[in-house]
Amino acid sequence: GENVEQHPSTLSVQEGDSAVIKCTYSDSASNYFPWYKQELGKRPQLIIDIRSNVGEKKDQRIAVTLNKTAKHFSLHITETQPEDSAVYFCAASITGNQFYFGTGTSLTVIP
Amino acid sequence: NAGVTQTPKFQVLKTGQSMTLQCAQDMNHEYMSWYRQDPGMGLRLIHYSVGAGITDQGEVPNGYNVSRSTTEDFPLRLLSAAPSQTSVYFCASSPGTATYEQYFGPGTRLTVT
């Protein structure tokens, strides 16, 4: 089955700086790559996603890039704010009904 | 629109007991899934369904059963609880082939003693 690896496991940045989280996947058939944000004690919530026919997608301060050849994708958060502090998960899916998640990155934005 | 709902929010079981975690969605989504979340391990897929009457195993199905008799409901049954099943369980749904975006329920925190 698919194997998704996520790095780093923890990340601390100063408010206003950028944060980058990287994931790699093993199955070249994967074609959908979502990113979720999970605050403490809450449910995961989708923040951005990308399909394999697109190399980059941006939504305000958040962007995702995908390199199909290297089988990796990254989340970029610019101008970080304290409310960005949370755990972020990447995932990969082939069919949209089986998702394989990374182990999460705990992001802390220091005011 | 309640979205995805789960009951109970918290549950404590003794080893060997059985129980059912309930999940329901009111968005007419075709796809539904169950995940468990353990510290440092992300979310792992237990079982999933692509429509009423259709279920399949995910990464970690042992010790769990599911059924999908209606589009709305997708209960997860623990047959004989073990301490290794102590976890937070999330149910999720998505529309299906048109879009893969998953909506998660609020979770059930289960402790098995």
Side-chain angles (χ1 to χ4, degrees), chain A residues 38 43 46 89 96-98, chain B residues 31 37 48 50 101 104-105:
Chain A
Q38 186 178 30
R43 72 191 80 186
L46 181 72
F89 292 96
N97 49 49
Q98 294 184 72
Chain B
Y31 292 1
Q37 184 174 34
Y48 65 98
V50 298
E101 179 178 346
F104 282 84

Side-chain angles (χ1 to χ4, degrees), chain A residues 11-17 80-83 85 107-111:
Chain A
L11 180 60
S12 291
V13 299
Q14 291 290 137
E15 182 177 358
D17 287 350
T80 53
Q81 301 166 3
E83 50 265 38
S85 295
L107 173 65
T108 302
V109 180
I110 304 164

Side-chain angles (χ1 to χ4, degrees), chain B residues 32-55:
Chain B
M32 295 187 76
S33 303
W34 275 103
Y35 296 89
R36 59 177 290 172
Q37 184 174 34
D38 302 296
M41 299 192 73
L43 291 100
R44 291 182 292 168
L45 182 64
I46 304 171
H47 285 285
Y48 65 98
S49 169
V50 298
I54 306 169
T55 64

